[in-house]
């Protein structure tokens, strides 16, 4: 598990290899990831948007931005956490993701970034 703390918000990431399949006559590798966002600060916070950089060893880096996570903009009280699952399709068995969440403190509307550490995707058969 990979973890990182930014301004009292702890991000933990666990990845998994989900399998391979053909899409548009090309082999794809499916990876899953579970992210837990834990509020270790003294203020309630809300996740408003996300920014991702996706690295595929056979393609150029892709950048994605979006509102919230999996259709939600969770409010996380001090001492609480929010966990969600998502996934990524790559054209190679090796890749990585990193990024940040845009957050807002509910007590004073202060906006800040929480960094998501780089987490790697590796199909088990691709490693020696």
């Amino acid at each position: 598990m990979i973890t990182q703390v930014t301004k009292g918000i702890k991000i933990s990431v666990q990845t998994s290899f989900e399998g391979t399949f053909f899409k548009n006559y090309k082999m794809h590798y499916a990876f899953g990831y579970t992210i837990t966002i834990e509020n270790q600060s003294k203020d309630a916070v809300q996740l408003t948007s996300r920014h991702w950089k996706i690295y595929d060893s056979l393609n150029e880096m892709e950048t994605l931005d979006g509102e919230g996570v999996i259709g939600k903009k969770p409010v996380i009280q001090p001492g609480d956490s929010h966990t969600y699952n998502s996934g990524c399709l790559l054209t190679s068995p090796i890749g990585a993701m990193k990024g940040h969440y845009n957050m807002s403190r509910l007590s004073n509307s202060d906006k800040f970034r929480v960094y998501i550490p780089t987490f790697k995707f590796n199909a088990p058969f691709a490693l020696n």
Side-chain angles (χ1 to χ4, degrees):
M1 182 174 294
I2 306 293
T3 62
Q4 182 170 335
V5 178
T6 308
K7 297 188 178 184
I9 308 300
K10 180 180 178 182
I11 305 296
S12 301
V13 185
Q14 182 71 45
T15 63
S16 61
F17 175 65
E18 302 296 327
T20 59
F21 66 95
F22 280 93
K23 178 180 175 186
N24 299 328
Y25 305 103
K26 195 173 193 179
M27 178 69 81
H28 284 75
Y29 302 85
F31 296 92
Y33 57 90
T34 300
I35 296 186
T36 299
I37 305 162
E38 183 181 344
N39 185 353
Q40 298 178 337
S41 76
K42 296 179 181 176
D43 299 308
V45 297
Q46 182 172 25
L47 188 157
T48 57
S49 62
R50 67 189 183 282
H51 174 83
W52 286 114
K53 290 185 178 182
I54 303 169
Y55 301 91
D56 184 329
S57 66
L58 295 178
N59 283 313
E60 292 186 19
M61 189 248 328
E62 182 180 356
T63 302
L64 294 174
D65 291 289
E67 294 293 312
V69 289
I70 60 166
K72 298 178 182 176
K73 293 183 180 181
V75 172
I76 308 168
Q77 298 295 328
D80 285 347
S81 63
H82 177 78
T83 300
Y84 71 95
N85 298 299
S86 193
C88 181
L89 286 179
L90 301 179
T91 59
S92 74
I94 299 172
M97 286 176 67
K98 71 176 183 177
H100 67 263
Y101 297 124
N102 292 308
M103 309 282 276
S104 180
R105 291 194 196 285
L106 298 183
S107 61
N108 59 11
S109 298
D110 179 36
K111 295 180 182 349
F112 62 101
R113 284 185 178 172
V114 171
Y115 293 95
I116 304 161
T118 301
F119 53 97
K120 297 177 182 179
F121 297 123
N122 297 301
F125 58 82
L127 301 176
N128 289 334

